[in-house]
Amino acid sequence: MATIIDGKLVSASVRGRIREEVAALSEQGIRPGLAVVIVGDDPASRVYVNGKKKACAEVGIYSEEYALPASTTEEQLLELVAGLNQKAEISGILVQLPLPAHIDSNRVLLAIDPRKDVDAFHPTNVGHIMIGDYQYLPCTPAGIMELLHYYQLDVAGRECVVIGRSNIVGKPMAMLLLHENGTVTVTHSKTRDLPAVTRRADILVAAIGKTRFVTADMVKEGAVVIDVGMNRDENGKLCGDVDFDAVKEKASAITPVPGGVGPMTITMLLENTVRAAKILKTGC
């Protein structure tokens, strides 16, 4: 039976550390502040935004929400971002994706000051991640690395396979595993004989958004399995990209859905916001 990697437990530990750091910064006159911008009324986005506000309050981070109608123009959104770039109380800016179809997400993300880009999506920050000289990491991959560290699951020298090549998870995940000396393969929709590739993995990360896509026959005995998926099955039940019940019998460690990677994503956003406050105040 696999060890269940408890994201709620690790998240609580990290948030405790963040809370202490926020308190210490307050004594130095530094107050981390996060601005969250949401455009439209996407229900999933609203849930995420509410979770971020609650998490900020939990650790003592100041937060502002800008809820804009779906009819907001691209220029209006860019004007808001420009104002937040200059706002002293705000150290981190997060524009909740997806945006309405008439708004160019890339243009909006490019408009965020890289020093306030706590999602680490700006090309400047992506470049720093590529060369291993970074201030911020994308929240989900950073959370996964925190889980691996907490459970002392060493990456060095191990075969690591990432299913999915998104800019948000797959690509940065591969870079972080590579920075810790993993031997990394990134797979995608054009990969030939995917099960043969995934069966090589000592560490398997699934991030494709397909319900229970990874089955037991795709997993090596004793592998560490990280499930990034957040899907609904035919009964409306929350589940991941991995067939958890079957795969846990083969894996040495596995993240559940919910309660695995999910809690870590917002927690790492808090960490990035605190780091941004220090950078803006002290330059380092």
Side-chain angles (χ1 to χ4, degrees):
M1 179 69 74
T3 296
I4 306 302
I5 298 174
D6 188 342
K8 292 181 180 179
L9 172 69
V10 181
S11 174
S13 173
V14 176
R15 289 190 189 192
R17 183 181 75 211
I18 293 171
R19 191 181 302 109
E20 292 176 359
E21 188 169 10
V22 170
L25 287 173
S26 178
E27 294 179 359
Q28 302 171 41
I30 301 173
R31 187 187 188 193
L34 176 67
V36 179
V37 181
I38 179 171
V39 184
D41 54 3
D42 180 76
S45 292
R46 170 46 61 191
V47 170
Y48 292 141
V49 167
N50 289 346
K52 288 162 185 171
K53 287 169 59 180
K54 183 179 178 181
C56 284
E58 179 186 331
V59 300
I61 291 175
Y62 169 71
S63 68
E64 296 181 353
E65 177 188 318
Y66 295 83
L68 308 178
S71 59
T72 299
T73 68
E74 185 175 302
E75 292 308 317
Q76 288 172 327
L77 181 54
L78 289 171
E79 184 178 347
L80 172 61
V81 169
L84 293 173
N85 282 339
Q86 300 301 318
K87 192 167 185 177
E89 296 88 349
I90 297 301
S91 46
I93 302 170
L94 184 149
V95 177
Q96 183 68 45
L97 302 178
L99 291 170
H102 65 278
I103 297 177
D104 184 345
S105 299
N106 288 331
R107 190 176 176 208
V108 173
L109 296 177
L110 276 170
I112 297 173
D113 183 337
R115 298 172 302 167
K116 294 189 175 186
D117 171 37
V118 288
D119 258 336
F121 291 164
H122 193 286
T124 296
N125 290 324
V126 173
H128 282 296
I129 293 164
M130 177 68 70
I131 63 175
D133 174 27
Y134 47 79
Q135 298 282 6
Y136 313 120
L137 293 173
C139 301
T140 298
I144 291 169
M145 297 308 296
E146 194 75 30
L147 291 173
L148 295 175
H149 297 156
Y150 187 92
Y151 281 87
Q152 299 181 342
L153 299 167
D154 192 23
V155 173
R158 305 185 80 181
E159 289 274 356
C160 305
V161 174
V162 179
I163 308 176
R165 55 179 169 181
S166 74
N167 292 332
I168 295 173
V169 180
K171 290 176 184 176
M173 186 75 251
M175 291 310 305
L176 298 192
L177 291 167
L178 187 60
H179 288 325
E180 296 205 6
N181 299 311
T183 300
V184 183
T185 301
V186 179
T187 68
H188 44 78
S189 60
K190 304 299 183 184
T191 298
R192 296 180 181 177
D193 196 359
L194 178 63
V197 179
T198 59
R199 281 193 291 268
R200 299 202 310 259
D202 299 308
I203 298 174
L204 178 63
V205 180
I208 52 171
K210 292 187 177 181
T211 301
R212 300 191 182 101
F213 178 83
V214 177
T215 52
D217 65 303
M218 298 173 66
V219 177
K220 176 182 179 179
E221 192 77 38
V224 174
V225 179
I226 306 294
D227 189 350
V228 183
M230 192 67 72
N231 315 304
R232 297 280 178 180
D233 66 12
E234 62 278 4
N235 300 313
K237 183 181 178 182
L238 202 60
C239 63
D241 292 346
V242 176
D243 184 354
F244 179 84
D245 289 336
V247 171
K248 72 180 181 181
E249 302 301 326
K250 290 185 75 175
S252 62
I254 187 170
T255 59
V257 176
V261 173
M264 297 302 299
T265 298
I266 292 180
T267 296
M268 304 318 288
L269 171 67
L270 302 176
E271 186 161 273
N272 281 349
T273 302
V274 173
R275 185 173 295 118
K278 292 190 291 186
I279 289 170
L280 289 164
K281 188 71 174 181
T282 66
C284 60

